[in-house]
């Protein structure tokens, strides 16, 4: 989630929770500066504000952030004056931005304790077609680290569960044997740690810290792109761990050979183990993920409403969870039960997805069904008689024209049809439209009804 989106959600929650004077005094003037490594740096006007935040608001912040993102995000408070001093200092040295890490630079950053998210476990991970193999490989690695798949490399788009699986491996390993040393870092944190070690002459401790672990988890290694010194150091870290049969797990948004300027020797090492991709969840898995999450959080929500959310958001799981958190907040605020119409309102007013301001596929289906006097079930069904096939094809055509849903998603909304069926329907109607005045009339009528 973007920094400002998250901040707005937290502010919104705090507003409902604090007295209006407290809110105006302490929350209103605070400014989120940066969201990085599970820390949000927040600027406040004075030391008094900072102290108040640290003593009274930080815990609330973390709770609300967790509700919205499922991640343990800590606020790092900084006064305006401190920020100005840091900016001056960093301009004079490396051009580093003011961040929580800079303010806390008294101990080397790499000595920070690894924080695994306790909620990211195998139990809370929903298995579907797109992540089945990744899940199985992760489980094997957590049971027998350093033996079968080393390194284990997950790749795939954002918010699809790569970090979740990584933490699950760490959590499971520690549960089985709490004496094991597990280190989780993002590739950016690895780079920052290295820079910090070089600046403070503590490379030896850096190496000790990274090379004496049983399990090293490095997230988002696509950010190693173009970073020569980091790659060099990581190469040696990798070799030391590998030779010692220690487990390495890596994630990236793409395959190693697609990461720009990643040294060949790293690319080839990353291929020694197992690379598994994670693909976006299908509708059923999205519904299962939402159901799982709703049950975990004790959110009372009917099945058809969950299906509605899952139908609206097909990009990634993070957005899906974000939508559920927004819906929950919206229902609490309005003091009403969660229903499909409340969800439609909640998602629209929070402007979660542009698609929602457009016509949706179910609405198109309803209008077409009514226009041609067929039922919704017939429209989504398999019957092949002309009185039903034509309206079905028209509805598919309009879904493609008027929404930006993908072909597979349109197919899904029509009772799980293949995307090639949607293409065929679209082409057929588009061709007929050139010559058939009745069809032109019908499509014109339907479009104007849908836009009304
Ligand atoms: N299959 C799943 N079951 C349950 N929760 C899931 C699943 N997949 C993803 N999630 C949840 O979705 C959110 C985003 O997942 P995660 O952070 O692991 O994504 P990612 O692939 O690492 O993305 P990024 O590349 O942006 O770091 C997390 O809260 C995670 O728990």
């Amino acid at each position: 989630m973007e920094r400002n989106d998250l901040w707005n959600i937290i502010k919104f929650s705090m507003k409902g929770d604090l007295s209006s004077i407290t809110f105006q005094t302490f929350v209103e003037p605070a400014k989120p500066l940066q969201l990085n490594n599970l820390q949000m740096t927040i600027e406040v006007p004075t030391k008094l504000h900072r102290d108040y935040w640290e003593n009274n608001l930080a815990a609330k912040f973390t709770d609300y952030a967790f509700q919205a993102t499922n991640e343990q995000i800590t606020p790092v408070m900084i006064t305006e004056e401190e920020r100005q001093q840091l900016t001056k200092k960093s301009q004079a040295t490396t051009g580093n931005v003011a961040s929580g890490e800079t303010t806390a630079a008294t101990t080397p950053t790499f000595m920070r304790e690894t924080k695994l998210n306790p909620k990211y476990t195998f139990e809370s991970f929903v298995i579907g077609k797109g992540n089945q193999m990744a899940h199985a490989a992760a489980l094997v690695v957590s049971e027998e680290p350093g033996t079968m798949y080393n390194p284990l490399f997950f790749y795939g788009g954002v918010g699809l569960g790569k970090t979740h699986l990584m933490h699950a491996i760490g959590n499971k390993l520690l549960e089985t044997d709490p004496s094991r040393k597990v280190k989780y870092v993002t590739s950016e944190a690895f780079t920052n740690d290295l820079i910090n070690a070089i600046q403070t002459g503590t490379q030896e401790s850096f190496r000790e810290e990274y090379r004496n672990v049983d399990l090293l988890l490095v997230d988002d290694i696509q950010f190693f792109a173009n970073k020569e010194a980091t790659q060099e150091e990581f190469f040696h870290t990798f070799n030391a761990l590998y030779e010692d049969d220690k487990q390495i797990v890596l994630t990236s948004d793409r395959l190693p050979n697609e990461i720009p300027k990643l040294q060949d020797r790293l690319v080839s090492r990353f291929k020694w183990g197992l690379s598994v991709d994670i693909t976006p969840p299908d509708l059923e898995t999205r519904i299962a993920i939402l159901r799982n999450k709703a049950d975990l959080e004790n959110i009372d929500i009917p099945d058809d409403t969950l299906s509605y959310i899952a139908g609206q958001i097909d990009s990634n799981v993070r957005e899906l969870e974000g939508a559920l958190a927004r819906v929950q907040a919206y229902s609490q605020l309005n003091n009403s039960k969660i229903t499909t119409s409340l969800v439609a309102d909640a998602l629209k007013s929070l402007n979660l997805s542009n698609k929602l301001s457009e016509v949706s596929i179910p609405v198109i289906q309803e209008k077409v069904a009514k226009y041609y006097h067929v039922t919704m079930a017939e429209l989504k069904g398999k019957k092949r008689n002309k009185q039903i096939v034509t309206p079905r094809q028209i509805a598919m055509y309009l879904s493609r024209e008027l929404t930006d849903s993908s072909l597979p998603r349109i197919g899904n909304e029509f009772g799980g049809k293949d995307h090639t069926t949607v293409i065929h329907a679209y082409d057929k109607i588009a061709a007929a439209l050139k010559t058939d005045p009745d069809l032109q009339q019908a499509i014109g009528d339907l479009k104007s009804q849908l836009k009304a």
Side-chain angles (χ1 to χ4, degrees), residues 152-410:
L152 177 58
F153 190 101
F154 294 131
Y155 65 98
V158 294
L160 296 181
K162 300 184 295 297
T163 306
H164 186 132
L165 278 181
M166 254 192 168
H167 284 232
I169 298 173
N171 281 323
K172 177 99 195 291
L173 187 65
L174 287 172
E175 189 189 296
T176 326
D177 181 357
S179 69
R180 299 287 196 122
K181 197 157 181 238
V182 175
K183 191 161 180 73
Y184 165 83
V185 275
T186 61
S187 66
E188 286 149 314
F190 182 89
T191 306
N192 289 341
D193 286 358
L194 178 65
I195 294 172
N196 196 288
I198 295 170
Q199 282 174 347
T200 52
T202 51
Q203 287 105 311
E204 251 335 289
S205 325
F206 172 88
R207 287 182 188 139
E208 227 168 82
E209 174 72 17
Y210 274 96
R211 296 182 193 182
N212 286 316
V213 296
D214 297 300
L215 170 64
L216 178 65
L217 309 162
V218 187
D219 214 350
D220 289 330
I221 60 141
Q222 69 271 15
F223 296 117
F224 278 173
N226 298 318
K227 294 195 178 107
E228 275 297 314
T230 305
Q231 291 187 26
E232 180 73 26
E233 187 61 40
F234 190 71
F235 175 72
H236 296 294
T237 307
F238 184 100
N239 289 344
L241 291 172
Y242 188 84
E243 276 158 27
D244 246 3
D245 292 331
K246 304 300 189 194
Q247 179 70 45
I248 302 151
V249 182
L250 307 166
T251 74
S252 167
D253 64 353
R254 65 201 89 169
L255 274 167
N257 55 345
E258 291 166 354
I259 300 173
K261 302 247 170 77
L262 186 67
Q263 295 173 3
D264 287 345
R265 55 186 189 165
L266 278 178
V267 174
S268 77
R269 267 164 182 74
F270 293 169
K271 286 191 191 151
W272 282 350
L274 178 71
S275 302
V276 202
D277 69 335
I278 304 189
T279 54
D282 55 18
L283 183 71
E284 286 71 29
T285 314
R286 295 201 299 278
I287 295 172
I289 289 173
L290 284 173
R291 172 48 69 208
N292 182 48
K293 179 95 182 148
D295 290 351
L296 280 175
E297 312 258 321
N298 283 324
I299 305 174
D300 189 14
I301 181 164
D303 282 339
D304 58 342
T305 308
L306 280 188
S307 310
Y308 175 80
I309 303 177
Q312 296 295 329
I313 294 161
D314 60 1
S315 45
N316 74 55
V317 182
R318 191 174 291 123
E319 282 194 11
L320 208 57
E321 291 187 334
L324 189 62
R326 284 161 200 247
V327 164
Q328 188 190 16
Y330 196 82
S331 96
Q332 280 168 353
L333 198 84
N334 288 285
N335 209 4
S336 46
K337 282 184 117 175
I338 302 178
T339 58
T340 306
S341 81
L342 178 127
V343 167
D345 269 1
L347 300 187
K348 204 192 286 165
S349 76
L350 290 161
N351 200 17
L352 181 77
S353 158
N354 296 332
K355 275 179 221 156
L356 294 168
S357 53
E358 298 171 0
V359 185
S360 70
I361 299 174
V363 171
I364 293 174
Q365 290 170 328
E366 252 168 53
K367 294 274 184 221
V368 174
K370 208 159 163 206
Y371 193 89
Y372 285 100
H373 306 288
V374 296
T375 65
M376 286 288 271
E378 285 171 332
L379 203 69
K380 295 185 194 182
K382 292 200 172 100
K383 280 196 201 143
R384 305 270 333 134
N385 44 326
K386 198 163 186 290
Q387 296 94 311
I388 296 170
V389 171
T390 306
R392 186 183 296 143
Q393 290 179 331
I394 289 175
M396 288 182 178
Y397 170 88
L398 289 172
S399 299
R400 183 152 188 223
E401 279 272 294
L402 303 179
T403 76
D404 57 0
S405 304
S406 64
L407 294 167
R409 171 152 175 226
I410 298 173

Side-chain angles (χ1 to χ4, degrees), residues 3 33-36 41 78 82-105 188 192 195 199:
R3 176 191 58 204
L33 296 180
Q34 198 175 40
L35 179 59
N36 204 354
T41 310
I78 170 171
E82 284 167 339
R83 202 247 313 137
Q84 282 162 355
Q85 281 167 0
L86 277 167
T87 315
K88 267 191 223 142
K89 227 199 263 174
S90 66
Q91 277 164 354
T93 54
T94 55
N96 220 349
V97 244
S99 76
E101 277 171 29
T102 326
T103 52
E188 286 149 314
N192 289 341
I195 294 172
Q199 282 174 347

